[in-house]
Amino acid sequence: MLNITVIGAGYVGLVSAACFARLGFSVTCLDVDQSRVDGLKQGVIPIFEPGLDRLVATQAKAGRLRFSLVDPAFITGADIVFLAVGTPSVKDSDEADLSHIFGAARMIAPHLKSGAVVTTKSTVVAGTNRRIRATIAAERPDLRFSVVSNPEFLREGCAIRDFTEPDRVVVGHHDEAGRAAMETVYASFIDNGTPVIFTSLENAELIKYAANAFLALKISFINEVADLCEAAGGDVENLAQAIGLDPRIGERFLQAGPGFGGSCFPKDTRAFAATGRRLGSPLRLIETVVSVNEARKEQLAARVEKALGDCAGKTIAILGAAFKPDTDDVREAASLVLVPALAKAGARLRIYDPQVGPDAAEELRHASFASSLAEALTGADAAVLLTEWEEFRTLDPRWAREVMAGSLFVDFRNALQPAEMQAAGFTYVGIGRGEVPEVPEVLAAAPAPQRVNGSPVNGHTREGHEAARPPRGAAIEMPERRPVGVAL
Ligand code: UDX
Ligand code: UDX
């Protein structure tokens, strides 16, 4: 049985370690953070990721998963060492900070056993794995070892499922030993028909960036089209569904919103663009995605102010601070831009997020934190939905209107139904979204918000932004929405 050591117990490292243990391997997860390791040893999971606590507990109990501070014994004992340390942006630069990766490579080099396979899970720019190989070879010229690039595509919030049922596994390698090790690790995936792509180190590195950049491009595309829909009286939800039914376009990642955030898309688009500049092969589309997305977040406060008027002294409930639902991660979240801007405009802000507290980021200190949705909304002049948590998507509009002092509801995720919000007495402002007719009888006669195979038409599902495909021949009604209310 292979011994696997994972360096880094963050979102990617921890999920990978637990999932490798579930596959039956003996896994040790190392981290430099003493309190993180101490917690993990006692079953305290440092991040919120649905199902991860149970999975870690089960695998630890079965003796397949253990945690430790960096300890040479666990490097020497490993057949495969996975590097899953962060690769954030360098401060004041678009380039990826590879210092943790090379730090880890130098740290493991003296202890690797003959035949060890060093596998990079972290997202790293083209050429990095070859440099990792050179770094280790410089330290251990006589060592027989392989380097593999095995980028991870999991999404936070549904990380375990994404890891266990991936669309594909990408393996970049430079020798047969590295490839053979990955064939063993991913044997069950190969058996169940998951495409496992064996390619060069550089290709694997580029595939990861190209995938993230393309998805980010899709989001920025629909966000700009949403703005045009507002100007032209269209409805981006209907539009996204209609174009998404063309398989050449695809229905996923066409959810308009406040701009993408998280630990990957923002930094990866910046790093991909920086790589293009550095290598003299500019990625002009991706450069534009970066600036479109940044500008979008900066315009959020103006959108609220346009709808609410002068924000000074007004109490605004902010629903959601995480960059997406089902995570406690606020890295590059829209909240980090919106909250300081509204505070500067004089608004009193009350945040409620089921998993994010005041210590999550400096930028959120401008707001007070409520411990429930009810506490956030009660007495508020306006509400701004920033993260489409299930709790917000299923909010009862009439109740919300009753407890709030004001009637403005800004929904930056199109998570709620305009007709229901208006019927409850709200002035509802979505993204790129016209509103259904204001006459209640028409509402009653109109088709219910369309469901296609049980999924709401706007594609919000727990897994995030995934609309189901209608059966062939199904009629899909898209009621005409007359833009009324506040046009932004
Ligand atoms: C991962 C990837 O590795 C990154 O490249 C990808 O783009 C996003 O996902 P992530 O798991 O989000 O990063 O990183 P983070 O949650 O910050 O965790 C990194 C962990 O590595 C931390 O627990 C940190 O303490 C640990 N670490 C960091 C080490 O153990 N050693 C180091 O040298 C540096
Ligand atoms: C992403 C990639 O999807 C994953 O493959 C990669 O490994 C890491 O980066 P993650 O950042 O965890 O995953 O979440 P994702 O669901 O992709 O969302 C990223 C951001 O885009 C979030 O802010 C989300 O709200 C936003 N988004 C996503 C939209 O605004 N619209 C969409 O249609 C989809």
Side-chain angles (χ1 to χ4, degrees):
M1 179 50 57
L2 284 179
N3 281 323
I4 290 178
T5 291
V6 178
I7 315 267
Y11 285 87
V12 169
L14 191 51
V15 171
S16 305
C19 290
F20 284 141
R22 186 159 76 177
L23 288 172
F25 301 110
S26 173
V27 183
T28 309
C29 189
L30 307 181
D31 202 290
V32 290
D33 183 334
Q34 173 92 55
S35 63
R36 185 165 279 227
V37 172
D38 289 346
L40 282 164
K41 282 181 173 171
Q42 283 155 33
V44 181
I45 308 297
I47 53 174
F48 174 74
E49 179 62 43
L52 188 56
D53 47 359
R54 242 188 9 255
L55 180 61
V56 167
T58 315
Q59 297 309 318
K61 194 158 168 237
R64 285 189 292 266
L65 178 62
R66 62 205 70 75
F67 299 96
S68 166
L69 273 175
V70 171
D71 177 343
F74 291 117
I75 312 289
T76 308
D79 301 298
I80 306 177
V81 179
F82 280 92
L83 304 180
V85 295
T87 49
S89 291
V90 173
K91 197 171 182 308
D92 300 325
S93 159
D94 289 345
E95 295 278 4
D97 179 356
L98 301 172
S99 61
H100 298 307
I101 278 285
F102 285 107
R106 281 190 294 272
M107 183 275 286
I108 61 173
H111 313 294
L112 290 170
K113 71 175 181 187
S114 174
V117 177
V118 177
T119 305
T120 309
K121 271 254 166 248
S122 304
T123 306
V124 293
V125 297
T128 305
N129 278 287
R130 257 171 229 283
R131 284 176 58 205
I132 291 174
R133 202 175 153 206
T135 303
I136 297 171
E139 169 86 17
R140 302 276 304 278
D142 299 329
L143 182 72
R144 186 172 56 83
F145 72 101
S146 310
V147 169
V148 167
S149 172
N150 174 217
E152 182 49 57
F153 295 92
L154 59 79
R155 290 163 299 166
E156 291 179 27
C158 42
I160 296 172
R161 202 194 66 183
D162 280 357
F163 187 97
T164 335
E165 299 164 34
D167 299 318
R168 78 303 205 189
V169 173
V170 174
V171 174
H173 62 99
H174 62 87
D175 66 2
E176 279 310 307
R179 177 184 172 130
M182 291 302 113
E183 280 173 350
T184 306
V185 168
Y186 294 110
S188 58
F189 294 64
I190 294 169
D191 286 350
N192 73 19
T194 304
V196 178
I197 296 154
F198 292 99
T199 183
S200 69
L201 292 174
E202 284 73 17
N203 253 353
E205 294 162 337
L206 289 165
I207 286 167
K208 171 69 195 217
Y209 275 108
N212 273 359
F214 189 80
L215 292 169
L217 176 74
K218 236 180 143 178
I219 298 169
S220 285
F221 171 83
I222 203 68
N223 281 342
E224 285 208 314
V225 171
D227 291 351
L228 180 63
C229 284
E230 283 172 16
D235 182 323
V236 74
E237 296 296 331
N238 286 349
L239 180 148
Q241 189 195 13
I243 64 170
L245 288 169
D246 181 336
R248 292 172 302 173
I249 296 174
E251 61 228 316
R252 295 167 72 185
F253 278 63
L254 281 180
Q255 180 62 54
F260 56 77
S263 67
C264 292
F265 286 171
K267 75 158 172 76
D268 290 349
T269 45
R270 288 195 297 263
F272 203 32
T275 304
R277 289 198 295 273
R278 187 162 29 79
L279 298 181
S281 182
L283 294 168
R284 283 169 300 174
L285 283 176
I286 305 309
E287 302 273 5
T288 305
V289 167
V290 171
S291 58
V292 162
N293 195 59
E294 283 171 3
R296 186 162 194 86
K297 289 186 196 165
E298 276 153 21
Q299 286 154 6
L300 296 176
R303 284 177 183 254
V304 175
E305 282 185 283
K306 188 167 176 193
L308 186 60
D310 186 4
C311 285
K314 302 263 176 60
T315 299
I316 304 178
I318 305 284
L319 309 185
F323 81 97
K324 62 180 284 188
D326 295 327
T327 181
D328 57 353
D329 199 343
V330 298
R331 285 180 280 184
E332 309 228 20
S335 61
L336 304 193
V337 181
L338 178 65
V339 164
L342 286 179
K344 198 167 168 217
R348 279 199 299 267
L349 302 169
R350 222 155 47 200
I351 300 178
Y352 170 63
D353 185 295
Q355 290 296 334
V356 176
D359 296 333
E362 193 61 44
E363 291 86 340
L364 302 181
R365 298 245 160 91
H366 297 277
S368 64
F369 272 74
S371 53
S372 67
L373 177 58
E375 191 188 328
L377 289 180
T378 303
D381 297 304
V384 176
L385 193 158
L386 257 190
T387 315
E388 68 279 32
W389 284 93
E390 176 80 6
E391 191 179 346
F392 305 153
R393 294 196 286 115
T394 54
L395 152 155
D396 175 355
R398 289 188 193 281
W399 164 80
R401 182 63 198 88
E402 268 165 34
V403 298
M404 283 174 62
S407 62
L408 176 67
F409 200 108
V410 181
D411 179 1
F412 280 132
R413 295 288 185 170
N414 286 353
L416 297 164
Q417 295 300 333
E420 291 171 15
M421 295 301 283
Q422 286 181 332
F426 276 112
T427 299
Y428 173 84
V429 178
I431 291 272
R433 191 177 213 192
E435 295 172 8
V436 291
E438 59 279 62
V439 188
E441 298 85 81
V442 178
L443 281 183
Q450 296 82 59
R451 292 187 169 261
V452 176
N453 286 354
S455 288
V457 70
N458 64 12
H460 288 290
T461 65
R462 277 196 68 79
E463 292 75 27
H465 323 293
E466 293 174 29
R469 177 166 289 282
R472 282 201 92 72
I476 303 170
E477 302 291 339
M478 290 187 178
E480 192 184 334
R481 285 183 168 157
R482 279 199 280 126
V484 291
V486 183
L488 291 183

